[in-house]
Amino acid sequence: MASNAMGATGGTAPQSVEHITRIAQNYEYNSSVPLRYWLRTAATLLREAQIYEREGHDEQAYLILFRHAQLILVHLSKHPDTKKNAEDRKALVAAEKEVEKNLSKLEILRPRINKRYERYTQLMRERESRKQPSRANIVAEPREQVLDPALSGVAEPLEAGANRDLAVQLARSELNRRATVRGSNGLSGPSAEELESRRAAGVWGDWDHSLKSDPNSNDRDLGRRVENIRSDFDHTNQFYGQQAKESEVPSSVTSAYNYPTVPRQKPLEPTASPGQIAILDKNAERHPPPILPPKEHLEPSRASIVGDSATPVAPSRPAKISPAPVPPAKIKPEENTRSGLDPSSYTFKPSAYLENGTPLRSVFLPANLRSRFLSLAAPNTRANLETCGILCGTLVSNALFISKLVIPEQTSTSDTCETVNESALFDYCDSEDLMTLGWIHTHPSQTCFMSSRDLHTHCGYQVMLPESIAIVCAPSKTPDWGVFRLTDPPGLTTVLNCSQTGLFHPHAEENIYTGALRPGHVFEASGLEFETVDLRPGALQN
């Protein structure tokens, strides 16, 4: 919770490692989700951690790496699929090796984070001892500060809705830079780390040894490796050691932990605000950048469909983060063209909250994506067949940008749409370093709503990325489209625990889903570029 004092001084307080690790373990896990999907979620976490490291935010990098390790060691090592599938066992061993590599990063980040936190608390004590503050200037204790590590040390977080033009410029600049880097790396072929990461995601690899080996031997080897690394991980962080003994993790979703924050380019005065203190500390701790994780893989995408018009309801909001008193100066287009924009100089603050109080990062949606999708779906729509597409993109400055509309190979009826040949979809996303941010589908003759089948489909997206969205297009009805997410609670847990089948089965809970656009965490952005990739056989690429 951001106090009034924080609003007055600007910025947010640094967070302790103990607080960050507590947040990192607060996510929804369900063993009924196939292991291969969870492994892709773990790979996506590493992809996000790579961006956080590159943008210079220690707190978020630590949180994501810790969550990745906790997910692998505490949950996935016990997943029932490890006893059923040799490929899953092999992929889990590869993912566990990633944890082993990341322990050194956690050891490097932990003292830096605590040093900033301890310095901040000391300065606050000294300030309070020098004078008796008036009620208007009281600085809250660190435990009362904003709970989102994404905003730790950020003096002027950006409002997504008020800075769409800047968001478009940032996305264009950063996506072009990343494409150039990928192109350069591609000239010499994939690195050894990239090859290993592809195996870790289970997309392909040499599974011959695993398939030919004694399954019981594999289980014993995996068990030994997990226990050895878990022991190292316990040594890395004593707080984790206490939590790892718990058999259950709090059942709230992962959204609060996936928010990178970034330092300002210009140093600020050390006594002005907690955020400025943290920024100065970061500038004083310049060091060679840590080795970045290899390119990883995305969670799978499976689309089934149908639809009814639910009135978008804004999620109940907890105490808000106080807005910065002075809005940051906007960058003129010509400045962007001349020198480029540095994503590490900006942070978009969360624009909405789950019902459990955790913040959601802003998602920027190209304004003309829907019309493009409807034109591709038109032949199916005329034949009363559904069409689905996958919304892919990336993370820039603590916001998610949809940059690709991927049309997978699929089979359709008037009420459903199922993806076919998922491996081709995964391979494409992996090759382009894409995150799966949601899906879009048509209701050729139904109204704009989320059917029970749609809810189960979207649950698979949202359990892996809380900001995931479902766009429903009903061109023959009014309203003709909507952007939705599951509530949490009760929607996500209700659907996860539902074992019913059928297209239109009821759920006991009400308020299963809600709108994500106006109000919500999704913003349409004119001028945001995107590419359409049609993977259906015989489709012409655009």
Side-chain angles (χ1 to χ4, degrees):
M1 172 180 174
S3 68
N4 292 334
M6 294 308 299
T9 60
T12 56
Q15 302 294 315
S16 68
V17 165
E18 180 176 348
H19 174 68
I20 294 170
T21 53
R22 189 178 297 118
I23 295 176
Q25 296 174 89
N26 188 22
Y27 61 93
E28 190 82 41
Y29 173 77
N30 191 304
S31 61
S32 65
V33 176
L35 176 59
R36 67 182 186 277
Y37 289 8
W38 279 120
L39 289 170
R40 285 190 169 275
T41 299
T44 300
L45 290 175
L46 291 184
R47 180 172 287 153
E48 291 184 273
Q50 177 181 356
I51 296 174
Y52 300 158
E53 288 182 271
R54 187 164 58 231
E55 293 189 351
H57 185 34
D58 292 347
E59 289 82 356
Q60 278 308 112
Y62 189 96
L63 189 153
I64 292 301
L65 292 174
F66 190 101
R67 171 169 293 165
H68 174 268
Q70 203 265 355
L71 175 65
I72 297 296
L73 299 182
V74 176
H75 290 307
L76 300 191
S77 64
K78 303 173 184 177
H79 195 287
D81 287 356
T82 60
K83 306 295 184 182
K84 302 175 183 177
N85 188 293
E87 290 189 4
D88 286 342
R89 287 197 299 273
K90 181 72 172 181
L92 183 58
V93 168
E96 172 258 312
K97 289 179 181 177
E98 291 290 343
V99 174
E100 191 172 9
K101 290 193 299 184
N102 290 329
L103 291 180
S104 60
K105 294 183 182 179
L106 291 170
E107 285 285 7
I108 292 171
L109 293 172
R110 186 162 60 108
R112 292 214 304 259
I113 294 170
N114 276 334
K115 178 181 177 182
R116 283 193 290 270
Y117 177 76
E118 290 164 4
R119 184 186 178 202
Y120 163 69
T121 56
Q122 179 182 356
L123 288 174
M124 292 302 100
R125 293 191 197 100
E126 292 175 355
R127 178 185 295 182
E128 291 179 358
S129 66
R130 286 196 301 267
K131 63 179 180 179
Q132 183 65 32
S134 65
R135 185 171 182 80
N137 294 323
I138 291 176
V139 176
E141 291 297 321
R143 65 177 178 275
E144 297 177 354
Q145 303 300 336
V146 60
L147 299 181
D148 185 3
L151 300 180
S152 294
V154 177
E156 298 176 351
L158 300 174
E159 293 276 3
N163 290 276
R164 300 186 205 202
D165 290 344
L166 174 59
V168 170
Q169 294 176 40
L170 276 169
R172 181 182 297 118
S173 175
E174 179 62 9
L175 292 178
N176 286 341
R177 186 197 67 78
R178 294 182 193 178
T180 300
V181 171
R182 282 197 306 275
S184 300
N185 291 341
L187 294 177
S188 57
S191 65
E193 284 191 335
E194 184 176 352
L195 293 176
E196 181 62 30
S197 73
R198 292 179 180 177
R199 294 188 184 98
V203 176
W204 60 272
D206 180 10
W207 306 122
D208 289 347
H209 176 74
S210 177
L211 291 172
K212 294 176 181 177
S213 299
D214 173 18
N216 294 328
S217 174
N218 279 339
D219 292 340
R220 289 192 296 270
D221 290 343
L222 176 59
R224 283 195 295 269
R225 288 187 62 83
V226 167
E227 288 304 319
N228 290 339
I229 294 183
R230 181 179 291 161
S231 176
D232 292 342
F233 195 49
D234 291 345
H235 177 71
T236 300
N237 193 300
Q238 294 180 356
F239 178 75
Y240 169 80
Q242 298 172 358
Q243 296 295 322
K245 296 175 183 177
E246 302 286 333
S247 61
E248 295 181 357
V249 174
S251 59
S252 46
V253 176
T254 59
S255 63
Y257 349 104
N258 301 335
Y259 308 93
T261 193
V262 290
R264 297 278 139 192
Q265 285 181 316
K266 296 181 179 179
L268 303 175
E269 292 299 322
T271 60
S273 73
Q276 294 166 348
I277 291 169
I279 293 164
L280 282 171
D281 282 343
K282 289 183 180 182
N283 289 336
E285 294 170 356
R286 293 299 178 191
H287 54 81
I291 300 173
L292 299 180
K295 295 179 181 178
E296 299 293 339
H297 294 261
L298 276 266
E299 59 265 25
S301 304
R302 172 180 168 270
S304 56
I305 343 301
V306 164
D308 163 16
S309 169
T311 301
V313 178
S316 58
R317 297 176 66 118
K320 297 178 182 178
I321 299 167
S322 299
V326 181
K330 294 186 177 181
I331 304 298
K332 296 179 181 180
E334 57 269 23
E335 292 175 344
N336 176 51
T337 303
R338 192 166 54 245
S339 59
L341 293 174
D342 181 6
S344 67
S345 299
Y346 304 90
T347 300
F348 287 96
K349 64 182 177 181
S351 53
Y353 297 83
L354 290 175
E355 288 70 18
N356 62 21
T358 54
L360 292 172
R361 289 170 292 187
S362 299
V363 174
F364 286 97
L365 170 68
N368 57 337
L369 182 144
R370 180 168 50 98
S371 61
R372 176 59 184 154
F373 172 69
L374 286 173
S375 68
L376 292 172
N380 277 356
T381 302
R382 288 192 293 268
N384 195 29
L385 296 173
E386 287 197 357
T387 307
C388 68
I390 311 301
L391 306 173
C392 299
T394 192
L395 172 70
V396 179
S397 301
N398 195 38
L400 297 164
F401 292 82
I402 295 173
S403 59
K404 301 272 187 179
L405 169 62
V406 182
I407 310 298
E409 187 176 350
Q410 56 197 266
T411 60
S412 302
T413 70
S414 60
D415 297 322
T416 64
C417 185
E418 301 285 348
T419 58
V420 178
N421 190 17
E422 283 187 333
S423 62
L425 174 64
F426 300 158
D427 288 344
Y428 175 75
C429 291
D430 294 338
S431 68
E432 295 293 317
D433 257 351
L434 294 171
M435 299 170 61
T436 302
L437 304 180
W439 60 304
I440 182 172
H441 70 285
T442 56
H443 285 179
S445 55
Q446 299 267 1
T447 55
C448 181
F449 78 117
M450 292 282 282
S451 71
S452 53
R453 184 69 173 272
D454 294 344
L455 296 176
H456 281 263
T457 295
H458 189 64
C459 182
Y461 288 87
Q462 195 168 316
V463 75
M464 298 179 189
L465 185 73
E467 292 88 356
S468 296
I469 59 173
I471 301 178
V472 180
C473 298
S476 65
K477 307 296 181 182
T478 301
D480 60 356
W481 76 299
V483 184
F484 306 106
R485 66 168 175 84
L486 294 172
T487 56
D488 183 26
L492 183 64
T493 302
T494 298
V495 178
L496 271 175
N497 294 327
C498 175
S499 59
Q500 299 182 74
T501 58
L503 296 181
F504 301 103
H505 64 265
H507 293 102
E509 292 284 351
E510 298 181 354
N511 188 31
I512 296 290
Y513 69 99
T514 187
L517 176 71
R518 295 190 300 270
H521 68 293
V522 179
F523 296 88
E524 286 189 285
S526 298
L528 183 59
E529 298 172 353
F530 73 98
E531 180 183 356
T532 302
V533 178
D534 198 332
L535 300 179
R536 294 176 295 181
L540 297 176
Q541 299 304 313
N542 298 281

